[in-house]
Amino acid sequence: VYSYLCRNSPVFLLGKCYHFKAEDEHSSTESSSTEACAASPATGGGVEAFRRDFASRLWLTYREEFPALPGSSLTSDCGWGCMLRAGQMMLAQALVLHFLGRDWTWSESLSLQPLDTETWTTTAAKRLVASLEASLQGERPSDPGPPLHALGAHGGAEEADTHLREVYHRTLVSWLGDTPQAQLGVHRLVELGLASGKQAGDWYGPAVVAHILRKAVEKATDPGLAGITSYVSQDCTVYSADVMDSHRSWLAGDADAPPLSDTRAVIILVPVRLGGEKINPEYFNFVKGILSLEYCIGIIGGKPKQACYFVGFQDDSLIYMDPHYCQSFVDVSTSHFPLQSYHCPSPKKMPFSKMDPSCTIGFYSRNVQDYERISQELSKVLQPSAKEKYPAFTFMQGHRRDYNLSAALTPEKREWPFIRDPRTTAATSGDFVLL
């Protein structure tokens, strides 16, 4: 299954580095591989460790035969919902970091069967679901309690009780299920998209999805999601004071009072454009640097009208998870629903040159201190190359309102990324355009 991944080059997956090269093999590429991997914050091991890690990431794909979506009679998102699914996968990785830690892996990840076809038919999907009736036991708590990282050593998942880990795992999947009640499900995302002029059946871009995800997290009512919120950058700028405010939680309606705490986690989403019609090769190393960070939750983008969730890279190829598999509806409201169809057994590869320049980058920041470290580290990664004069995005101190960049724009228009200040000089070919 992994034969298309080179054995002589390190593989990076959401901040972890893996070597497929056998220990007794020696070649001229060994030193360069070691050097590349040394730059990563964590070395994860060999091919089996990579398989376990990759297959433990949550995989959200097209589904069919679920309840009708808001404002429509559609009971499937096949053919149009791939960017929403990619966004769900990025959100899922943030939740895994928040509740389980980066080192968590699913106990059944290595038992997944390889995918035989590009699209699963309804019949095949039903057979799969029927064959997995004996999935792991677990209950769905309304409040998962404190993050597992607090229950043990760093990462925490290995020291926590196995049953408790599976409760968290199953709860995260249930929040992303395909029912109107799911806090972060496709029904909720479509409903929130209606306010942005998007209907079920429309194609969603990565910037629009970033704002929909933010609203979904902010409006979630499940007590288990009370300790996490989301922030979307504006005009490719992350305003640090705004993120700090997001980390802090106040009593409802009393923002002037001292915050109750500054430990609310923030999912930071940054819509960017890495070139004109095609990605600028000068950004390849930037993307690699981003995906080498453990607090990166991936990148949603892909090819035009074909979304992907990028989670890593090897040499000049991106590694991604593909939402373009049509699977049958799974009722996540039951205690023992099968989990296997929410995990992908193998990754796909794409040359960097085929990546669409429009994408949204995601990060997870646990608290104010974490954000200060992240912003400092990212500022170094964002240093532009000699040929590329402008960084992909920037950090600025203070609040966005302090800069009054979009005073002439209506509140609705301010929600959309890539809008330039109308008072600036005429746009050049390198500027972003209004989506």
Side-chain angles (χ1 to χ4, degrees):
V1 174
Y2 292 84
S3 59
Y4 55 85
L5 292 175
C6 176
R7 294 186 62 83
N8 293 325
S9 298
V11 182
F12 290 81
L13 176 66
L14 295 170
K16 286 188 177 290
C17 177
Y18 296 91
H19 276 292
F20 291 178
K21 190 177 179 65
E23 291 182 1
D24 59 349
E25 288 182 337
H26 298 281
S27 71
S28 60
T29 61
E30 184 172 351
S31 61
S32 61
S33 297
T34 303
E35 290 173 4
C37 212
S40 177
T43 300
V47 61
E48 184 170 297
F50 173 81
R51 287 180 56 205
R52 182 183 297 109
D53 191 0
F54 178 85
S56 296
R57 301 312 103 200
L58 295 188
W59 184 41
L60 285 305
T61 72
Y62 290 152
R63 297 275 175 175
E64 58 184 353
E65 300 181 336
F66 52 60
L69 292 164
S72 78
S73 58
L74 293 175
T75 58
S76 172
D77 64 322
C78 292
W80 58 270
C82 52
M83 191 65 78
L84 290 177
R85 297 300 187 178
Q88 281 186 306
M89 285 189 269
M90 186 162 67
L91 196 56
Q93 178 60 16
L95 296 175
V96 167
L97 290 180
H98 185 67
F99 290 106
L100 294 164
R102 180 61 186 89
D103 293 333
W104 172 79
T105 55
W106 183 36
S107 59
E108 296 191 12
S109 58
L110 294 180
S111 65
L112 295 173
Q113 296 300 310
L115 302 174
D116 296 324
T117 59
E118 286 295 303
T119 302
W120 290 356
T121 63
T122 301
T123 303
K126 284 181 176 177
R127 283 201 303 268
L128 174 71
V129 172
S131 69
L132 300 174
E133 291 293 327
S135 180
L136 289 175
Q137 301 286 313
E139 301 298 328
R140 294 175 58 244
S142 60
D143 182 356
L148 282 183
H149 73 89
L151 302 181
H154 178 70
E158 282 69 28
E159 288 74 23
D161 176 76
T162 300
H163 173 71
L164 183 58
R165 278 185 273 151
E166 292 308 324
V167 170
Y168 274 74
H169 179 194
R170 193 173 292 278
T171 300
L172 300 192
V173 174
S174 72
W175 283 335
L176 297 156
D178 300 308
T179 66
Q181 295 75 32
Q183 301 282 303
L184 307 170
V186 68
H187 290 73
R188 186 67 53 87
L189 301 184
V190 167
E191 179 183 4
L192 294 171
L194 294 174
S196 300
K198 289 292 183 181
Q199 307 286 329
D202 290 347
W203 193 81
Y204 298 69
V208 173
V209 168
H211 286 277
I212 292 174
L213 294 177
R214 174 185 62 81
K215 293 175 182 176
V217 174
E218 288 180 350
K219 293 179 179 294
T221 57
D222 193 298
L225 291 167
I228 190 166
T229 188
S230 183
Y231 168 87
V232 179
S233 69
Q234 293 290 316
D235 302 315
C236 300
T237 304
V238 177
Y239 294 92
S240 290
D242 291 337
V243 179
M244 297 287 198
D245 281 351
S246 296
H247 271 299
R248 300 180 178 111
S249 58
W250 283 268
L251 285 171
D254 194 6
D256 293 330
L260 299 176
S261 72
D262 60 359
T263 57
R264 185 167 59 173
V266 179
I267 300 169
I268 302 170
L269 303 175
V270 186
V272 297
R273 190 170 181 88
L274 306 178
E277 291 186 6
K278 295 183 178 181
I279 186 172
N280 187 330
E282 294 298 320
Y283 285 116
F284 290 176
N285 284 336
F286 162 74
V287 173
K288 290 181 179 181
I290 290 294
L291 292 171
S292 299
L293 303 170
E294 278 203 18
Y295 48 83
C296 174
I297 54 173
I299 302 173
I300 59 171
K303 293 180 275 191
K305 305 290 177 129
Q306 187 173 343
C308 305
Y309 172 47
F310 298 111
V311 294
F313 67 92
Q314 183 183 50
D315 296 328
D316 295 323
S317 294
L318 286 155
I319 294 173
Y320 68 97
M321 297 176 70
D322 190 355
H324 299 91
Y325 290 83
C326 193
Q327 304 189 77
S328 282
F329 167 72
V330 172
D331 185 358
V332 297
S333 67
T334 61
S335 296
H336 313 304
F337 66 88
L339 288 163
Q340 280 82 349
S341 67
Y342 292 97
H343 291 273
C344 184
S346 60
K348 289 190 174 183
K349 286 178 68 175
M350 174 195 299
F352 271 89
S353 58
K354 290 189 176 181
M355 178 183 180
D356 191 278
S358 287
C359 57
T360 288
I361 304 169
F363 304 99
Y364 169 78
S365 177
R366 188 171 294 282
N367 51 43
V368 168
Q369 293 73 26
D370 202 25
Y371 173 72
E372 291 173 344
R373 175 182 63 87
I374 288 171
S375 59
Q376 291 174 359
E377 290 182 5
L378 282 177
S379 294
K380 298 175 183 177
V381 176
L382 287 163
Q383 292 296 324
S385 66
K387 293 182 181 179
E388 186 58 45
K389 296 181 180 179
Y390 304 103
F393 64 94
T394 59
F395 286 86
M396 293 188 75
Q397 299 302 314
H399 299 275
R400 180 176 180 272
R401 63 175 179 268
D402 298 338
Y403 299 91
N404 198 28
L405 292 180
S406 304
L409 297 173
T410 64
E412 291 76 17
K413 291 295 186 184
R414 288 180 196 147
E415 281 295 304
W416 297 87
F418 308 150
I419 296 178
R420 290 304 190 194
D421 184 351
R423 297 168 294 178
T424 57
T425 56
T428 66
S429 59
D431 283 330
F432 295 120
V433 295
L434 176 62
L435 293 178

